[in-house]
Amino acid sequence: MDIPSPRPGDALLVVDVQNDFLPGGRLAVPSGDQVIGPLNVAIAQFLAQGLPVFATRDWHPPEHCSFKANGGLLPPHCVAGTRGAAFPATLALPPDVVIVSKGTLPGNDAYSGFEGTRLGDMLREARVTRLLVGGLATDFCVLNTVTDALQEGFGVVLLTGAMRGMNLQAGDDEAAIDTMIEHGALPCSLPPLAKARLPRAQPRYR
């Protein structure tokens, strides 16, 4: 299906599009930068309708449990306040984007944007009933965020052209999409970039 026209009650949720998950980052998702253009199209559509945009981010302390030095399996990534944790300058997030920081506690891994955050409450306060979701990585944080959103009672539309997987094993991203659909999410494609006016991106290091 094509991307549905945003409607009252919708919000766009951009999951973990941060420098450390892009090519050259500490925990790069293959072709992760390819989500930025399609997400900018979706952002432009939501801005045109005056609808909210939310963005999750890993915002880890240096002693985070997922880091190898602390007994975890991953290299240090998205350490709070560093360039690696920042959103890329090419991602055209609006000035009023609602940023949701997760994984802020040393012992909390938090793949889901709902885990240990007020995301669910903030969405309900904004009278959001449906989320359009894209970001990184399909088979980790997108998967967990979407399944939690569905459990929280929100409708979910997957922007499949605006997500990429880590694919530690071949096909992990496709399996994750299948799982999200089985839980009730609806997949959709995105329109060509030429069909949307893209807002000008600004550098951001927050």
Side-chain angles (χ1 to χ4, degrees):
M1 60 182 289
D2 292 331
I3 185 171
S5 298
R7 65 191 187 196
D10 283 353
L12 177 65
L13 180 57
V14 177
V15 177
D16 293 9
V17 181
Q18 297 170 265
N19 288 323
D20 269 345
F21 295 134
L22 301 180
R26 300 296 301 274
L27 190 58
V29 176
S31 302
D33 56 333
Q34 293 180 9
V35 307
I36 294 174
L39 284 173
N40 283 346
V41 171
I43 290 168
Q45 290 177 325
F46 272 72
L47 289 177
Q49 296 292 327
L51 296 172
V53 177
F54 290 74
T56 67
R57 64 181 181 184
D58 275 357
W59 200 245
H60 296 319
E63 65 274 19
H64 194 253
C65 62
S66 68
F67 299 167
K68 291 180 179 178
N70 304 318
L73 299 175
L74 302 176
H77 63 279
C78 299
V79 174
T82 66
R83 184 183 182 280
F87 301 116
T90 49
L91 182 64
L93 293 174
D96 60 349
V97 60
V98 181
I99 297 173
V100 179
S101 300
K102 61 188 179 68
T104 60
L105 300 177
N108 181 23
D109 215 354
Y111 286 128
S112 169
F114 290 86
E115 184 176 347
T117 74
R118 292 192 64 253
L119 177 56
D121 291 336
M122 289 189 291
L123 291 170
R124 282 184 282 269
E125 289 166 4
R127 299 184 178 181
V128 172
T129 58
R130 186 176 71 162
L131 296 172
L132 278 68
V133 182
L136 303 171
T138 310
D139 39 357
F140 284 94
C141 293
V142 172
L143 170 62
N144 284 271
T145 298
V146 165
T147 54
D148 278 358
L150 292 165
Q151 289 177 355
E152 292 261 357
F154 298 102
V156 175
V157 175
L158 304 176
L159 305 182
T160 55
M163 54 181 69
R164 293 293 184 276
M166 188 65 74
N167 280 326
L168 298 180
Q169 295 188 20
D172 279 354
D173 56 347
E174 295 178 359
I177 290 173
D178 288 343
T179 297
M180 290 184 281
I181 293 171
E182 289 170 3
H183 281 78
L186 299 175
C188 80
S189 59
L190 288 160
L193 297 181
K195 289 187 179 180
R197 293 183 179 180
L198 302 184
R200 182 176 299 174
Q202 298 294 333
R204 57 189 82 245
Y205 296 97
R206 47 181 176 174

